[in-house]
Amino acid sequence: MTYIIQGTRDDFEVVIGLEVHAQVTSKAKLFSGAATAFGAEPNTQVSLVDAAMPGMLPTINAECIRQGVRTGLALGAEINKFSVFDRKNYFYADLPQGYQISQFKHPIVGEGTITINKKDGTSKDIDVERIHLEQDAGKSMHDQHPQMTYVDLNRSGVALMEIVSKPDMASPEEAGLYVGKLRTILRYIGSCDGNMEQGSMRADVNVSVRRAGEPLGTRCEIKNVNSIRFVRQAIEIEARRQVDIIEDGGHIDQETRLFDPVKGETRSMRSKEEAHDYRYFPDPDLLPVEFDDDFIAAARESLPELPDAKHHRFVSDFGISDYNAGVLVAEKESSDFFEELIAALVDASGKKASAVAAKAANWVMGDLFGALNKAGKTLSDCPVSPAQGAELLGLIEDGTISGRTAKDVFEIMFETGDSAEKIVEEKGLKQVSDTGAIEKIIDDLLVANPAQVQQYRDGKVKMIGFFVGQVMKATGGQANPAIVNQLLKPKLDG
Amino acid sequence: MSDIDKATVAKIARLSRIKIEEDRLEGLAGELSNIMGWIEQLNEVDTDNITPMASPVDTKLRWRADEVSDGDKRDAVLINAPQGEYGFFAVPKVIE
């Protein structure tokens, strides 16, 4: 379905391109040996290179090159064996060099693709234009002192990948899905931790609008949007603003804007306007980055199974639904948990993965995720391990407990961390599958309730429900319902 | 192309945060135009199909291992700052 913004006279389409800045997972910075860890005391992770002291020479971190190449390969992108670092010149208090070392003309990664899966079941390929490596700037804090801005250079020089999409997205939903999918891929391959709250991933959002069929409109760039929800909101609000201006007979100025989620508006960042004259030139301190096919092959070899491949495998090998597979692969933690669970369950039950996976998926997404949500926990601090989960599901599979009892057992497991078998044993929750014992109870019931037996035999077959209920009552709810039904009917029928 | 006018000098000065008095702009525009004209003589050389040279020395970029080997020298980093407070650089307020 096409996303349309209705003006007072015309319908408008929105065109969106994204520049995502993703912090490269590395111990040290892109061009210095200072640490990158989050949350250190201000200016304690700064070398003289990062502080731009005169005479300091940048030297490149090999791991950052490798992670850039791995990311390109994960997006099916062209890898450039020759790339060049340039200086992007602008003046700002948290940029001590007065320029950012970035890649302009010759980026390390060329064109690739990210496939998004939309809510309506369709998928769409979003093209990636390029990925280049660059330095992060320092951090300015404006609210600590009435007249001063405080600057912390700990982030200064940390390696970023700027992943630039083509203007291929046509709705806030598509843009949100693109960022989500990119984040999933980066987290799978470990080239970025994807932690948007800590600023490890943030997006510059380019938005323009046009009447259907018209050429591209003038775009505005919304800087530093730091959550998927804000990406969606910023696009909605900015597109509406542009439509209103156009319909009022005005025109859109190409400019940099800031999204304010509290006020629900975007506003112009005037200070950035003249900074667009970046005066790029090749950094004379750095030679071109060059590597060979073996380096690329080794990077490719190091990639794990990617989310799309895993998604397909979950559907084809495990037989779980497309939707469930999508949810489970979205986070690496979930898909790892699920795979360990299935492996343990196959081991314990002797059944094939495809025979147990659908129920296991429902249990993970229903009972387990529900309990985690309620407790405010995530899989990383989940009190129930995949092996313990498999033990519980195994007890349902072999008929030891009913699905209903399993829910109670799981609640206790989640609270205490005890094993399912221990809880079932201690609480006496084993389902009675002993046909002899159940048969005896049924016989007694038939003798004790002759009127109801007669009603059944007179054609009121619903009375079977009464007898099932009585058997369950007599066994404290632990009779195996399948066996009760199987034994009861022939006896009632006489 | 090689003509640099007063407005261009003022703009470059502003981008570089260099303070230049109004009465010096004219002279600088002339000097910079001369320099640009001199550099533009290089355009007379045919450089089609010639790979730009990254360095006069035949050497490759040296790659460094991903190890933390620097940092933890806040005093040295801040020593030249006009003002430092609580371990931060303190600068006149810049706000969007």
Side-chain angles (χ1 to χ4, degrees):
Chain A
M1 217 180 64
T2 320
Y3 179 81
I4 291 289
I5 303 142
Q6 285 181 330
T8 47
R9 288 187 297 279
D10 298 315
D11 286 349
F12 286 79
E13 299 171 351
V14 61
V15 178
I16 304 152
L18 289 169
E19 293 162 21
V20 174
H21 298 263
Q23 180 178 330
V24 178
T25 302
S26 65
K27 296 192 203 76
K29 294 183 180 180
L30 182 55
F31 294 116
S32 88
T36 59
F38 180 78
E41 286 294 303
N43 292 309
T44 54
Q45 295 180 166
V46 182
S47 78
L48 298 180
V49 177
D50 311 318
M53 294 296 172
M56 294 297 117
L57 199 63
T59 52
I60 194 151
N61 184 338
E63 177 65 5
C64 299
I65 299 174
R66 195 179 78 91
Q67 292 291 21
V69 170
R70 291 177 78 242
T71 304
L73 292 170
L75 303 186
E78 167 197 352
I79 306 298
N80 296 323
K81 287 186 273 185
F82 175 93
S83 65
V84 175
F85 281 103
D86 298 284
R87 291 185 179 179
K88 177 180 179 178
N89 299 278
Y90 68 97
F91 185 89
Y92 205 72
D94 56 23
L95 187 77
Q97 289 168 157
Y99 57 84
Q100 176 193 36
I101 304 179
S102 181
Q103 297 186 305
F104 185 54
K105 248 173 122 175
H106 301 284
I108 190 163
V109 175
E111 293 186 14
T113 311
I114 292 177
T115 305
I116 56 170
N117 299 302
K118 296 172 61 168
K119 248 201 215 117
D120 62 11
T122 61
S123 62
K124 179 173 175 179
D125 285 349
I126 309 294
D127 285 343
V128 169
E129 166 119 16
R130 58 185 280 163
I131 302 175
H132 60 257
L133 291 169
E134 61 184 27
Q135 297 176 301
D136 204 350
K139 189 177 169 206
S140 297
M141 297 163 82
H142 306 292
D143 53 0
Q144 305 290 305
H145 187 286
Q147 284 91 37
M148 310 298 279
T149 288
Y150 285 169
V151 179
D152 172 14
L153 296 182
N154 281 349
R155 292 190 69 96
S156 169
V158 167
L160 301 179
M161 295 178 276
E162 180 170 329
I163 301 149
V164 183
S165 86
K166 296 201 172 170
D168 276 359
M169 287 153 278
S171 70
E173 184 206 0
E174 289 183 7
L177 288 170
Y178 171 86
V179 177
K181 185 63 175 286
L182 175 58
R183 180 173 178 271
T184 300
I185 293 169
L186 297 178
R187 286 167 55 89
Y188 263 68
I189 68 170
S191 66
C192 168
D193 67 22
N195 195 330
M196 298 187 85
E197 301 79 50
Q198 294 179 359
S200 305
M201 233 182 112
R202 46 196 199 267
D204 295 345
V205 188
N206 286 292
V207 178
S208 67
V209 299
R210 61 175 172 193
R211 291 183 183 86
E214 284 190 346
L216 287 177
T218 305
R219 65 187 164 84
C220 290
E221 180 179 7
I222 309 161
K223 280 276 184 200
N224 272 340
V225 186
N226 64 0
S227 81
I228 292 174
R229 190 161 60 94
F230 288 166
V231 166
R232 289 203 185 105
Q233 285 176 2
I235 293 166
E236 272 173 40
I237 290 165
E238 174 61 16
R240 168 53 61 187
R241 185 189 73 88
Q242 293 183 13
V243 166
D244 290 347
I245 290 175
I246 292 169
E247 292 224 307
D248 282 349
H251 71 282
I252 308 298
D253 294 323
Q254 182 168 343
E255 61 178 355
T256 307
R257 299 182 69 84
L258 191 72
F259 173 58
D260 183 335
V262 180
K263 290 189 181 154
E265 62 174 27
T266 67
R267 57 175 180 269
S268 184
M269 294 170 79
R270 289 195 180 78
S271 63
K272 293 265 178 188
E273 268 170 38
E274 62 184 6
H276 272 301
D277 192 350
Y278 289 132
R279 296 153 290 145
Y280 281 100
F281 62 88
D283 191 316
D285 284 341
L286 289 159
L287 289 161
V289 178
E290 291 176 276
F291 44 77
D292 56 16
D293 289 321
D294 289 347
F295 180 75
I296 300 175
R300 193 188 301 276
E301 195 65 30
S302 76
L303 290 178
E305 182 182 36
L306 295 170
D308 283 347
K310 202 181 278 287
H311 185 137
H312 291 140
R313 184 166 58 82
F314 278 9
V315 172
S316 62
D317 292 9
F318 291 170
I320 68 174
S321 73
D322 201 47
Y323 174 80
N324 285 2
V327 172
L328 289 169
V329 303
E331 294 289 343
K332 189 162 187 304
E333 289 80 3
S334 322
S335 64
D336 286 349
F337 188 100
F338 182 66
E339 293 214 71
E340 284 173 44
L341 177 75
I342 296 291
L345 195 50
V346 165
D347 261 3
S349 67
K351 295 186 182 172
K352 283 203 297 199
S354 57
V356 293
K359 276 188 227 163
N362 285 335
W363 177 77
V364 169
M365 292 170 56
D367 297 28
L368 183 66
F369 284 0
L372 287 170
N373 265 341
K374 218 170 120 190
K377 288 178 190 270
T378 63
L379 276 177
S380 54
D381 52 3
C382 179
V384 177
S385 70
Q388 287 177 309
E391 192 188 299
L392 175 68
L393 296 179
L395 292 177
I396 307 176
E397 282 296 325
D398 68 14
T400 308
I401 56 174
S402 68
R404 179 71 205 86
T405 305
K407 287 190 188 294
D408 299 337
V409 174
F410 173 64
E411 254 181 52
I412 302 169
M413 289 169 72
F414 197 84
E415 242 165 62
T416 61
D418 280 348
S419 84
E421 267 176 47
K422 180 170 172 236
I423 295 164
V424 168
E425 198 60 48
E426 281 180 5
K427 307 255 173 194
L429 295 172
K430 258 191 193 153
Q431 187 164 247
V432 179
S433 299
D434 173 352
T435 47
I438 296 175
E439 222 164 338
K440 172 79 173 51
I441 293 168
I442 293 175
D443 289 341
D444 291 349
L445 279 168
L446 295 191
V447 173
N449 298 284
Q452 283 84 351
V453 174
Q454 197 50 52
Q455 282 177 21
Y456 175 88
R457 288 182 180 159
D458 289 346
K460 213 173 165 195
V461 289
K462 272 191 193 157
M463 283 312 291
I464 195 166
F466 166 79
F467 287 101
V468 172
Q470 290 298 313
V471 177
M472 294 313 271
K473 196 172 159 193
T475 57
Q478 289 170 22
N480 182 331
I483 292 175
V484 174
N485 275 313
Q486 198 187 323
L487 295 175
L488 192 55
K489 194 150 184 303
K491 282 183 189 290
L492 277 172
D493 289 340
Chain B
M1 162 76 201
S2 63
D3 272 354
I4 292 183
D5 58 14
K6 275 171 66 177
T8 308
V9 177
K11 187 185 172 201
I12 298 167
R14 165 85 188 131
L15 288 173
S16 318
R17 298 304 189 277
I18 297 171
K19 187 175 179 182
I20 295 176
E21 300 301 337
E22 173 71 23
D23 60 4
R24 290 196 57 213
L25 291 178
E26 191 74 59
L28 280 168
E31 283 177 35
L32 285 169
S33 292
N34 284 341
I35 293 170
M36 289 302 287
W38 178 72
I39 291 171
E40 275 181 21
Q41 289 179 38
L42 295 173
N43 285 343
E44 290 165 22
V45 183
D46 179 5
T47 55
D48 288 354
N49 305 317
I50 296 177
T51 317
M53 182 175 67
S55 164
V57 185
D58 184 19
T59 177
K60 296 273 181 213
L61 180 67
R62 192 171 66 84
W63 294 15
R64 174 173 54 83
D66 182 29
E67 284 156 9
V68 176
S69 57
D70 205 341
D72 204 10
K73 50 178 68 155
R74 178 154 80 187
D75 292 344
V77 165
L78 286 172
I79 199 162
N80 292 319
Q83 198 175 343
E85 284 181 18
Y86 310 108
F88 292 97
F89 291 88
V91 302
K93 188 163 259 194
V94 274
I95 189 100
E96 296 305 340

